[in-house]
Amino acid sequence: MYDRIRALREDADLKQKNLAEVLNIRQPTYSDYVRGNLNVPAPALIALARFYHTSVDYILGLADIREPYPRHEEKGERQWIEITP
């Protein structure tokens, strides 16, 4: 995950300070996220995924496709996915 966060930033040619501003945190906090010294909170992961137009799964390393998932919500209705073991 940390390598992906760093790679996304570098690919966008941005500095840690820029991403810290996007996340409304201090640069040292962002640096701690990237180094793995702090867990990245879910709202920050979501904000990063939206900023980079990707999925949280991609950032976490659970998916190799960078494109975000399509949204399935229509007029407040949620699509439920049945999970079977």
Side-chain angles (χ1 to χ4, degrees), residues 14-27:
L14 297 169
K15 298 186 182 292
Q16 287 187 355
K17 179 182 175 183
N18 302 123
L19 270 295
E21 290 171 1
V22 167
L23 299 175
N24 199 27
I25 58 174
R26 296 175 46 237
Q27 184 275 329

Side-chain angles (χ1 to χ4, degrees), residues 9-69:
R9 181 185 58 79
E10 289 174 352
D11 288 348
D13 211 19
L14 297 169
K15 298 186 182 292
Q16 287 187 355
K17 179 182 175 183
N18 302 123
L19 270 295
E21 290 171 1
V22 167
L23 299 175
N24 199 27
I25 58 174
R26 296 175 46 237
Q27 184 275 329
T29 302
Y30 180 84
S31 180
D32 283 339
Y33 288 168
V34 175
R35 289 185 286 153
N37 294 338
L38 283 176
N39 289 326
V40 182
L45 286 172
I46 293 167
L48 288 170
R50 287 181 177 158
F51 180 80
Y52 290 121
H53 304 289
T54 190
S55 67
V56 171
D57 282 356
Y58 178 78
I59 292 173
L60 293 175
L62 299 173
D64 291 327
I65 299 172
R66 189 170 168 177
E67 290 80 28
Y69 299 126

Side-chain angles (χ1 to χ4, degrees), residues 71-80:
R71 293 189 162 264
H72 294 289
E73 291 185 31
E74 293 183 25
K75 298 185 181 183
E77 291 185 21
R78 292 185 181 237
Q79 298 286 330
W80 295 98

